[in-house]
Amino acid sequence: MKNNIIELLDYIDPSALDYQEWVNVGMALKHEGCDCSVWEEWSSRDAARYHSGECKKKWNTFNGSASPVTGGTVYQLATRFGFSPSRDEAMEWGDEIGRDSFVILDGIEVDELEIPREWSPKAQIIKYLDTLFDADENVGYVTDCWQNDDGRNLPKKGSYDRTAGQLIQELSRLEDDDIGAVFGDYNPEVGAWIRFNPLDGQGVKNSNVTDFRYALVESDSVDISTQNTLIRELELPVAALVYSGGKSVHAIVRVDAADAAEYRKRVEYLYTVCKKNGLAVDEQNKNPSRLSRMPGVMRNGKKQYLLDTNIGKQSWAQWYEWVESVNDDLPDFENLKDLDFNNLPALSEPLIDGILRKGHKMLIAGPSKAGKSFALIELAVAIAEGRSWLGFNCTQGKVLYLNLEVDKASFLHRLAAVYQTLKWKPNSIGNITIWHLRGKSAPMDKLTPKLVRRAVKEGYTAIIIDPIYKVLTGDENSAEQMSRFCNEFDKICSQLGCAVIYCHHHSKGAQGEKSSMDRASGSGVFARDPDALLDLIELPLEDSVKEQQAQRGECAVYMKYLRRFVTDADDLVSQDDALSAAKMREIAAAHLPKATLEIASEEAQEAKKAADTLSGWRIEGTLREFPKLKPVNCWFRHPVHIVDDTGILSDIAPRVNSKNSPWGKNFGKKKSSAEREQERKESIMTAFEFCNTDGKTTIKDLTEYTGTSEKTVKRHLKEHGGFWIDGNEVGLKNSDKVE
């Protein structure tokens, strides 16, 4: 138990806990026989709140109790932060549960539901509001009703213009329990209602919900005591449990969805689990602006009573992990007999036109010096600003960039340099969020739950991971291990509804004659897993090409200054002049002021020098969702990639097995098989001539002379064809053999 609890601490981030949770960890560690140093070392990971010696002082006050805090508390915290036990392992702390699909309960003892006789309506509703809402959040409630044609009393639209803080303050001022003085009088035969999700103060529709925080679980078809028992036994993350005064209890369950789409998915998941375990949920309660029964009021002689708050698992994530730990997450089979080709599900919208859809995965592969990180920064900026990247339009959205390789200052300077070089104003730089993890990264399987927990409500369109070798889990040459690694990207895509974009390096050796699918280092899973693979391969630039680009850069600088200071600049410069650095220097000298000419000349020289570091690249793509990508040729002029609009790069072939490549040069030096055979024949003859006495020698002598084995010597002698071999003796066939 002691070793298990210490391992679980690796999953728990102390900086994310409140004070009581931190203390509980310490008490659990002491109860399980750990030393205070374990708590001290773990606590030090929270640099902001950690104080040396504080743990020891607190530790000495833990003297045990009749209801001790045990290792189970640490286990529950670990599952909240992403720990999920192997389904083949025996789970600790009595957590043995069923294995059928989403079936958790297997025979339960139903406890009778009891409603206390004494109550304070004011206290009931204050506790309810304080539990579910922040003080500044608007609350929707209804105390008026109307009758339909069937004689049923139904709630009206109600109020939604006051915050929880205002309501609590007004209730607190009451000298009695007349809550009607705050909410308005209600019909005691009908009761009153309240909306469990906060509103924007403008209305009560789903579109007015500001935080998709809770969902309603209610069942009229199951005995009320059974409802209460099932809700508790299922460990639903219930914020408030209310008796409706009728046939049901209302469980206000934490779902903590980022948006309406995720809310629908989570409610569907929640209802599925409930139904599989015998709690037939009312399906009409799926909308987030749904009304529930307000505690603290009477309904037809019965109390709408707040039974409990904050029961079950502490969060949706914790409950979800608990359910998933005993069930596989594989979907049911889908029969296509009712498929309508005219009503197919909508495809995800493109994030990068012609390359990548939202919610999909993309890999950028390339060798070192290809500027892969800069390409990813350029992409992050393009998505944030809604601009184009490498000639492809990007849909504007929020980006989370996981910076795993460079320090914070270096990264921010790179980001600024990209903006400045592209000459883009950072109008929407707020769409970019950076998670600086240099020196703090973890294997992807441990990083994923932490990432999801932090990002679940942020609405990111894309998450960029740079580079993935920092978070690799397992051997990159193992297909099995890399499949599990890549599955972590799928989890991020599905749980956050965003695209995942990452980069990886090429394998060693020349890449020109390989397909883009086969260039990435490691297992082929890397290339075959993503929905889009973009591969960068270098184009060898002749000196003449670099010189031409140097001329273009120099000419562009002079032209810029001429247009700025000379009215008829375009008339002065012909098309041929605009391509000649010498001619542009001459025109600039004749028409620019001396001081301006000096500045232009310095800038032109810098542009010329920049051509020395210029490199050319071809980007090829393998796409799952779009037609084959036409190769894109671009220059990498630090710090940005610029699409080649001159057509120069299109005529350059990548490095292959040619004399121009390092591999090709080495290949050119290799001997043919015939040359190597002739060399072996000459070598064995030289050895014989040195060792022979009276026209013969021994295998042993030849072995010692050549430094090889007897087997090798015999093979070379037979290959030569001019020797006889008799046991250990060797001689030339043309000489006399001694019988």
Side-chain angles (χ1 to χ4, degrees):
M1 178 73 75
K2 183 167 144 183
N3 289 335
N4 289 337
I5 197 172
I6 293 174
E7 291 175 1
L8 289 173
L9 289 178
D10 291 337
Y11 289 85
I12 304 173
D13 181 1
S15 65
L17 303 183
D18 61 32
Y19 178 81
Q20 188 56 54
E21 289 171 327
W22 171 72
V23 170
N24 288 346
V25 171
M27 290 192 287
L29 290 171
K30 188 168 186 177
H31 178 80
E32 301 299 345
C34 297
D35 189 81
C36 179
S37 60
V38 175
W39 193 33
E40 184 92 23
E41 182 180 352
W42 171 77
S43 299
S44 66
R45 287 160 51 187
D46 182 4
R49 293 189 294 180
Y50 173 73
H51 298 288
S52 180
E54 185 178 357
C55 290
K56 186 68 175 178
K57 186 188 300 182
K58 198 69 182 175
W59 186 272
N60 293 332
T61 67
F62 302 155
N63 298 316
S65 69
S67 301
V69 179
T70 69
T73 295
V74 177
Y75 178 87
Q76 296 297 339
L77 286 171
T79 59
R80 186 169 117 199
F81 284 88
F83 170 72
S84 180
S86 168
R87 293 189 53 178
D88 296 325
E89 295 176 355
M91 297 165 66
E92 293 289 339
W93 302 296
D95 207 8
E96 202 55 56
I97 46 188
R99 298 295 185 191
D100 293 332
S101 179
F102 292 111
V103 176
I104 299 169
L105 308 179
D106 183 16
I108 61 170
E109 184 176 340
V110 176
D111 295 321
E112 191 70 19
L113 176 64
E114 295 183 4
I115 308 298
R117 294 184 178 180
E118 301 296 326
W119 75 333
S120 167
K122 180 175 72 172
Q124 286 261 298
I125 188 61
I126 287 177
K127 186 174 183 181
Y128 183 95
L129 292 170
D130 186 59
T131 301
L132 266 61
F133 300 94
D134 292 335
D136 60 349
E137 292 177 332
N138 284 77
V139 180
Y141 58 89
V142 180
T143 54
D144 294 331
C145 61
W146 62 282
Q147 277 193 348
N148 66 5
D149 294 338
D150 297 329
R152 292 183 60 197
N153 290 300
L154 302 175
K156 292 185 177 180
K157 186 176 182 180
S159 303
Y160 45 84
D161 58 351
R162 285 191 284 177
T163 65
Q166 290 171 331
L167 292 170
I168 291 173
Q169 189 176 46
E170 292 179 35
L171 287 165
S172 300
R173 292 186 186 134
L174 295 176
E175 295 181 0
D176 52 23
D177 278 321
D178 182 19
I179 63 174
V182 175
F183 291 98
D185 293 330
Y186 65 93
N187 185 341
E189 293 182 4
V190 180
W193 300 265
I194 191 166
R195 302 183 194 278
F196 42 81
N197 279 316
L199 304 172
D200 60 8
Q202 304 299 314
V204 295
K205 296 180 179 179
N206 291 337
S207 58
N208 298 117
V209 172
T210 59
D211 195 346
F212 299 89
R213 193 179 300 161
Y214 306 109
L216 174 60
V217 169
E218 176 195 9
S219 176
D220 288 337
S221 60
V222 178
D223 174 74
I224 193 165
S225 293
T226 303
Q227 293 176 45
N228 179 57
T229 302
L230 288 172
I231 287 168
R232 295 175 185 273
E233 291 294 324
L234 282 171
E235 299 247 25
L236 300 182
V238 175
L241 187 64
V242 178
Y243 170 54
S244 69
K247 297 185 295 182
S248 64
V249 290
H250 288 198
I252 311 304
V253 179
R254 293 184 177 89
V255 292
D256 299 322
D259 52 30
E262 187 176 64
Y263 184 88
R264 288 192 295 271
K265 291 178 182 178
R266 292 192 173 188
V267 171
E268 192 65 42
Y269 183 94
L270 170 67
Y271 282 14
T272 299
V273 174
C274 289
K275 287 184 287 185
K276 290 279 188 177
N277 289 275
L279 185 59
V281 184
D282 187 347
E283 295 280 350
Q284 297 181 29
N285 295 328
K286 290 183 177 181
N287 55 310
S289 63
R290 186 76 178 179
L291 285 168
S292 178
R293 287 291 170 175
M294 179 192 292
V297 303
M298 297 297 295
R299 178 188 180 191
N300 200 22
K302 295 183 179 180
K303 302 169 183 175
Q304 291 184 183
Y305 193 91
L306 181 61
L307 296 168
D308 224 332
T309 59
N310 297 320
I311 60 175
K313 301 298 183 185
Q314 296 180 15
S315 66
W316 169 270
Q318 184 181 344
W319 180 75
Y320 177 84
E321 288 295 331
W322 178 62
V323 175
E324 289 295 299
S325 69
V326 293
N327 292 277
D328 67 49
D329 57 356
L330 300 177
D332 293 334
F333 295 160
E334 181 180 0
N335 188 279
L336 298 182
K337 66 178 181 179
D338 297 323
L339 180 65
D340 181 0
F341 285 173
N342 296 316
N343 190 27
L344 295 173
L347 292 169
S348 298
E349 296 178 0
L351 176 62
I352 307 173
D353 283 357
I355 294 181
L356 184 69
R357 296 188 185 278
K358 293 179 178 179
H360 289 195
K361 300 173 292 181
M362 182 171 80
L363 165 65
I364 297 178
S368 60
K369 308 304 181 185
K372 297 187 295 296
S373 290
F374 282 104
L376 290 177
I377 293 175
E378 294 165 38
L379 177 56
V381 169
I383 294 173
E385 301 291 344
R387 306 289 288 262
S388 66
W389 176 72
L390 298 176
F392 301 97
N393 292 329
C394 297
T395 301
Q396 189 170 27
K398 295 175 67 177
V399 183
L400 175 61
Y401 198 113
L402 273 63
N403 168 34
L404 299 161
E405 194 166 43
V406 299
D407 63 72
K408 178 178 178 179
S410 296
F411 183 89
L412 295 179
H413 277 269
R414 288 184 176 192
L415 182 67
V418 167
Y419 263 108
Q420 292 164 1
T421 305
L422 292 174
K423 297 181 180 178
W424 292 355
K425 292 183 178 180
N427 297 323
S428 301
I429 196 170
N431 281 339
I432 302 176
T433 300
I434 314 299
W435 198 11
H436 296 289
L437 291 175
R438 177 176 176 173
K440 299 178 182 178
S441 61
M444 200 66 214
D445 57 342
K446 293 185 178 180
L447 186 63
T448 295
K450 299 177 182 179
L451 167 61
V452 170
R453 180 170 56 83
R454 285 170 168 81
V456 68
K457 292 186 177 182
E458 300 302 323
Y460 293 115
T461 301
I463 291 179
I464 296 175
I465 303 173
D466 178 26
I468 61 169
Y469 79 83
K470 288 283 188 176
V471 291
L472 268 179
T473 304
D475 179 3
E476 74 168 24
N477 293 301
S478 166
E480 178 185 1
Q481 293 180 32
M482 288 307 98
S483 292
R484 289 200 295 267
F485 172 72
C486 291
N487 283 342
E488 298 299 322
F489 301 145
D490 289 317
K491 290 180 183 178
I492 296 171
C493 289
S494 61
Q495 294 183 36
L496 298 181
C498 66
V500 175
I501 301 165
Y502 49 98
C503 70
H504 192 41
H505 56 84
H506 273 174
S507 58
K508 295 181 179 179
Q511 305 295 328
E513 62 181 5
K514 297 181 183 178
S515 71
S516 58
M517 293 279 287
D518 298 322
R519 293 174 190 148
S521 177
S523 167
V525 170
F526 278 125
R528 287 156 180 82
D529 178 74
D531 300 290
L533 165 63
L534 296 187
D535 188 87
L536 287 82
I537 184 166
E538 187 170 9
L539 303 174
L541 301 182
E542 301 288 346
D543 290 342
S544 59
V545 174
K546 288 190 175 183
E547 174 60 28
Q548 186 181 30
Q549 292 304 303
Q551 293 252 356
R552 286 172 63 91
E554 197 174 349
C555 290
V557 171
Y558 285 120
M559 195 67 215
K560 177 181 71 174
Y561 280 93
L562 285 168
R563 284 174 175 160
R564 186 182 302 174
F565 292 97
V566 180
T567 305
D568 57 347
D570 289 312
D571 295 332
L572 288 173
V573 181
S574 68
Q575 289 185 349
D576 291 338
D577 292 341
L579 298 176
S580 169
K583 189 63 179 177
M584 290 300 292
R585 284 194 294 268
E586 180 182 323
I587 296 173
H591 293 84
L592 291 177
K594 183 176 180 181
T596 302
L597 179 62
E598 290 178 358
I599 296 172
S601 297
E602 289 180 6
E603 191 174 323
Q605 288 305 305
E606 290 299 319
K608 183 178 180 180
K609 289 179 182 177
D612 292 336
T613 60
L614 192 68
S615 56
W617 299 86
R618 181 160 298 148
I619 302 174
E620 297 177 348
T622 302
L623 310 177
R624 183 169 290 142
E625 291 284 315
F626 296 94
K628 182 177 176 62
L629 178 70
K630 182 180 179 181
V632 176
N633 298 307
C634 65
W635 307 95
F636 179 47
R637 184 179 288 117
H638 188 277
V640 298
H641 295 79
I642 302 170
V643 176
D644 175 37
D645 58 0
T646 66
I648 295 173
L649 295 180
S650 62
D651 296 328
I652 301 177
R655 295 190 189 277
V656 291
N657 297 337
S658 66
K659 294 181 180 180
N660 292 327
S661 68
W663 192 94
K665 291 177 181 178
N666 184 51
F667 181 81
K669 295 177 182 177
K670 294 184 182 297
K671 298 179 175 65
S672 66
S673 58
E675 290 174 328
R676 291 195 296 274
E677 179 183 343
Q678 182 60 33
E679 191 174 76
R680 289 192 298 272
K681 289 181 178 180
E682 293 175 356
S683 178
I684 197 68
M685 178 58 78
T686 300
F688 176 80
E689 290 175 349
F690 181 86
C691 297
N692 88 88
T693 303
D694 298 329
K696 58 185 178 180
T697 186
T698 65
I699 296 291
K700 182 179 179 181
D701 288 342
L702 291 174
T703 299
E704 291 178 353
Y705 178 84
T706 59
T708 58
S709 65
E710 288 188 7
K711 184 177 180 181
T712 299
V713 167
K714 289 180 179 179
R715 188 173 71 250
H716 289 174
L717 289 169
K718 290 180 179 179
E719 181 183 48
H720 185 279
F723 294 95
W724 54 261
I725 302 174
D726 185 8
N728 189 44
E729 287 189 327
V730 178
L732 287 171
K733 288 182 177 179
N734 293 334
S735 62
D736 294 333
K737 179 180 176 182
V738 179
E739 299 295 338

